[in-house]
Amino acid sequence: RGSVKEAKKSRRMDVDVSELGAEGSARTAEAAEEAVGPRSRVVVPQSVAGSEKRDAEEVARRMARAAKRGAKLRAVLGDGGKYVVDLGEYRRKKVRVFVQYEGYSPSAIEESRRLRVAVTIPAKWADAPAAKLKATFLETYAARGKGRIEPGDALLAVTDSRSYLTFAKTMIKDSAKVGDAFHENEEIFVVTSADVQALDAQVRTIETALADYERQATIHRTIDPSAVVEMSTVSGQIDPCLPHVLLLGMNKAYLLPVQPSFTVADIKAFIHFKGGPDNFPLASLDVAVLRGGHEIFVLADDDTIEALAKRLYGDDATLLNPDDHKPVVPLLWGKRLQDPKYFLWIPSLHTPDSFKGPNDAANAPTGQDPAALAAANAPRTAGGDCLIS
């Protein structure tokens, strides 16, 4: 939906750089080769982030914990419960959950107030209300000298698997039965009314930052939409004395004639209008350069193509001299994932085909589920194929 299909197959980029001359060809080939080389991580500067800080170690720790989550407690605690051999005797396996208080998100409160404990769940608790598990933790919390949390001002919660945000949680009613509400080895959180308010405020902060991010893409655009519509990629031989951008993303490559004064916002506008505004909202797009061989560095909207040429090739490089061969400026582009719960475009997460050119598609690692990749790149979440003409 919203895609603009190419009128001719020749529009799919098959770039011939044979006419660029020795120096121009070397620069272009080197830039293109580097741009589609191996990459490991996306770096989103604070100025364009607008999202929660994601500590890599903490994220990895929580992912490891989540992987240990077992079956529903009722299934584990029932007659079909698991047994272990202990000193030659069959003994019922201890069934545990992990209950913790950390505020509305990791590191939201000072460490002295945080607590995480393992709670062994007896079989008779399968039909007990969640309030019983909550009261058990709150008693331990007070006994450890962490402070006092009023039971009436708190609920239990679990991680909301629908959301990409680490602080997203699903609240559990006090009346819910322990055996049905929780899983074995599950991470369970105590959340107060103040924490819920802080969570809502954080979501609003991210929404405001992303709205500003989208405004920047409009403020720094130097060409109007009607001019964007007239822009088109080229294939075959190109004029080496004209500046071009090599756009790599969604497993495709496009060579786009530009002006040195064009900005990153103009490149976003081209993708936005040519690929379809519904498929590629401005707030979802990131344009980047490759830094250090492996880092994808997301660019600010006011960066000009001339400035990027100097950044990539050195201060002597320029796109302004009319008669000189111009180095092609390679830019990577991608689309953020939209959070399924809050409908925010997450700056630190991108669709699988983002920032990837044709070589990346040809050298993609094996063993990945094709259906999963297709779903991740589907138009609803990723915009699907970007067919730019």
Side-chain angles (χ1 to χ4, degrees):
R1 188 164 59 97
S3 296
V4 178
K5 293 187 177 180
E6 295 170 309
K8 298 180 181 178
K9 272 198 169 182
S10 61
R11 290 289 190 183
R12 295 175 184 259
M13 284 311 304
D14 181 13
V15 182
D16 180 0
V17 296
S18 60
E19 298 299 311
L20 290 177
E23 181 182 357
S25 294
R27 276 187 171 181
T28 305
E30 180 182 352
E33 183 179 356
E34 181 183 21
V36 298
R39 298 185 280 279
S40 60
R41 68 192 186 102
V42 178
V43 178
V44 183
Q46 187 69 26
S47 59
V48 299
S51 182
E52 58 170 343
K53 294 181 179 178
R54 299 169 64 92
D55 180 84
E57 292 183 2
E58 180 63 24
V59 171
R61 187 181 302 116
R62 287 171 184 266
M63 289 179 64
R65 291 174 180 172
K68 296 178 181 179
R69 193 180 80 153
K72 286 278 189 180
L73 289 179
R74 184 174 297 281
V76 179
L77 293 169
D79 294 337
K82 298 179 182 177
Y83 287 80
V84 295
V85 177
D86 186 6
L87 298 178
E89 296 181 358
Y90 281 97
R91 302 181 60 181
R92 185 177 289 275
K93 175 186 176 183
K94 287 185 178 179
V95 179
R96 300 190 304 176
V97 295
F98 298 90
V99 188
Q100 58 197 295
Y101 180 63
E102 61 176 13
Y104 80 92
S105 73
S107 305
I109 58 175
E110 56 269 23
E111 189 173 359
S112 62
R113 294 177 57 203
R114 299 178 216 156
L115 180 66
R116 178 178 181 267
V117 297
V119 179
T120 300
I121 306 297
K124 62 183 179 182
W125 275 28
D127 290 315
K132 189 175 184 66
L133 178 59
K134 179 181 71 174
T136 300
F137 173 81
L138 294 182
E139 289 173 6
T140 303
Y141 187 82
R144 298 279 182 91
K146 298 290 185 177
R148 179 170 177 79
I149 298 175
E150 294 296 333
D153 188 44
L155 284 174
L156 295 181
V158 295
T159 300
D160 192 331
S161 59
R162 297 174 299 164
S163 177
Y164 302 129
L165 301 178
T166 58
F167 59 73
K169 295 177 176 66
T170 298
M171 305 302 169
I172 306 298
K173 294 181 179 180
D174 282 346
S175 59
K177 293 182 178 180
V178 169
D180 301 320
F182 305 111
H183 294 71
E184 182 184 13
N185 294 325
E186 184 151 36
E187 297 291 323
I188 302 171
F189 304 88
V190 172
V191 181
T192 67
S193 58
D195 297 328
V196 173
Q197 292 175 4
L199 188 153
D200 292 340
Q202 179 68 3
V203 172
R204 289 194 297 271
T205 298
I206 296 175
E207 289 174 338
T208 300
L210 293 180
D212 180 67
Y213 179 76
E214 187 168 7
R215 280 195 297 273
Q216 294 300 313
T218 302
I219 292 172
H220 295 293
R221 192 171 67 208
T222 66
I223 52 179
D224 58 45
S226 61
V228 173
V229 173
E230 297 301 320
M231 294 172 63
S232 63
T233 56
V234 296
S235 59
Q237 296 181 351
I238 64 174
D239 186 340
C241 292
L242 295 178
H244 292 81
V245 160
L246 179 63
L247 276 177
L248 298 126
M250 299 299 174
N251 293 326
K252 292 179 173 60
Y254 301 96
L255 200 59
L256 179 67
V258 295
Q259 296 297 325
S261 60
F262 279 9
T263 63
V264 168
D266 293 326
I267 303 301
K268 287 184 179 181
F270 174 76
I271 299 169
H272 171 70
F273 288 109
K274 286 289 192 173
D278 291 336
N279 280 346
F280 297 95
L282 283 175
S284 73
L285 297 175
D286 280 320
V287 176
V289 292
L290 194 65
R291 188 174 69 173
H294 298 282
E295 278 189 350
I296 299 169
F297 187 79
V298 175
L299 299 168
D301 289 319
D302 58 350
D303 283 326
T304 66
I305 305 302
E306 170 71 6
L308 292 175
K310 293 183 179 297
R311 181 184 302 185
L312 291 169
Y313 299 114
D315 292 337
D316 292 337
T318 182
L319 305 176
L320 298 174
N321 293 337
D323 298 326
D324 289 348
H325 285 182
K326 308 294 190 302
V328 173
V329 179
L331 296 179
L332 311 174
W333 69 277
K335 183 180 180 182
R336 300 177 178 185
L337 286 174
Q338 189 176 42
D339 188 87
K341 180 176 182 178
Y342 296 106
F343 304 104
L344 304 171
W345 297 104
I346 307 299
S348 52
L349 298 174
H350 295 82
T351 62
D353 290 339
S354 291
F355 310 115
K356 292 181 180 179
N359 288 358
D360 294 284
N363 300 320
T366 58
Q368 297 189 30
D369 183 357
L373 290 178
N377 285 308
R380 179 175 297 178
T381 54
D385 286 340
C386 178
L387 303 178
I388 301 175
S389 59

